[in-house]
Amino acid sequence: MTFNRKIKIAPSILAADFADFGAECRAIEAQGCDWVHVDVMDGHFVPNITFGPATCAAIRPHIKGVMDVHLMIAPVDPYIEAFAAAGADVISAHLEAGPHIHRTLQAIRGAGCKAGLAINPGTPVEALDYLLDMVDLVCVMTVNPGFGGQKFIHSQVSKVAKLRAMIGDRPVHIEIDGGVTADTAPLVAAAGADVLVAGSAVFKGGSVANSAPYGANIRAIRAAAEAAL
Ligand code: DX5
Ligand code: ZN
């Protein structure tokens, strides 16, 4: 993974066919996505359950590029090794998931992965003041985590701009997760985001058997974001 600030589209397989993750990952990559975003939920940190490290390991061979694993679980630390062994390139943990995020970020890098730090809509960017040198990515949640298909929370756009200024020259990605569409992508791209996660907006209208709409959706989000730069 070489660092750059070009717009990257990361479809969330939360909106894919859960019975066919391998084919769905191959389809979105063939249709031009940059990263594959994998949402892990535990029914405890968030009110929904998806899957764990075994599923991540199973889909890994079907992803050529970056596997971006978003952990919405608490606790995080006991599972880091398992997600690293499953082949995650990026592991993001939530600031709100426990009292020792500093240790968690050290452990993620220690496991050989890029360290991501995700923050909920109610969490201020100032909470990141002493963490920015330990992270490779900050994931700004633009919905409350737990479900796909929710409405983008507009108050988060100014948070992204503040975060971009705080990051300065550090090689830290800003990822946006939740409610990203061709309408909201320009707002966050202009504010400084470079990784755009999109679930429903990428998978809508398509399927493994008919994946051309995935490509059209990816291109529409990317074009709208790039036009805002
Ligand atoms: C929400 C997940 C997101 C979600 C995005 O908890 O972290 O990745 O799947 O879905 P959309 O793009 O539909 O809001
Ligand atoms: Zn996510």
Side-chain angles (χ1 to χ4, degrees), residues 32-155:
C33 80
D34 299 284
W35 293 9
V36 176
H37 185 82
V38 179
D39 285 311
V40 176
M41 304 185 186
D42 66 352
H44 169 73
F45 178 68
V46 290
N48 192 10
I49 301 177
T50 55
F51 47 76
T55 302
C56 293
I59 66 177
R60 174 74 266 190
H62 302 275
I63 300 172
K64 291 193 194 113
V66 171
M67 182 160 100
D68 175 34
V69 177
H70 178 193
L71 298 182
M72 287 161 274
I73 67 173
V76 180
D77 296 10
Y79 303 102
I80 290 171
E81 281 298 335
F83 285 103
D89 296 291
V90 182
I91 296 179
S92 294
H94 269 264
L95 178 69
E96 306 84 2
H100 298 295
I101 188 66
H102 190 283
R103 174 185 291 145
T104 300
L105 294 168
Q106 283 179 326
I108 294 171
R109 280 190 171 172
C113 297
K114 300 285 186 194
L117 176 55
I119 52 172
N120 285 336
T123 300
V125 265
E126 287 74 15
L128 276 55
D129 266 347
Y130 299 96
L131 299 170
L132 284 180
D133 290 320
M134 312 180 61
V135 300
D136 303 291
L137 175 149
V138 177
C139 175
V140 177
M141 294 302 304
T142 41
V143 298
N144 284 297
F147 302 95
Q150 303 182 79
K151 264 187 71 176
F152 182 89
I153 301 173
H154 281 266
S155 62

Side-chain angles (χ1 to χ4, degrees), residues 155-193:
S155 62
Q156 301 305 299
V157 175
S158 65
K159 186 195 275 189
V160 175
K162 266 196 213 172
L163 174 63
R164 180 67 194 89
M166 282 168 67
I167 286 174
D169 293 334
R170 295 179 181 89
V172 176
H173 297 288
I174 298 180
E175 177 175 76
I176 305 299
D177 191 2
V180 172
T181 65
D183 292 327
T184 55
L187 308 173
V188 286

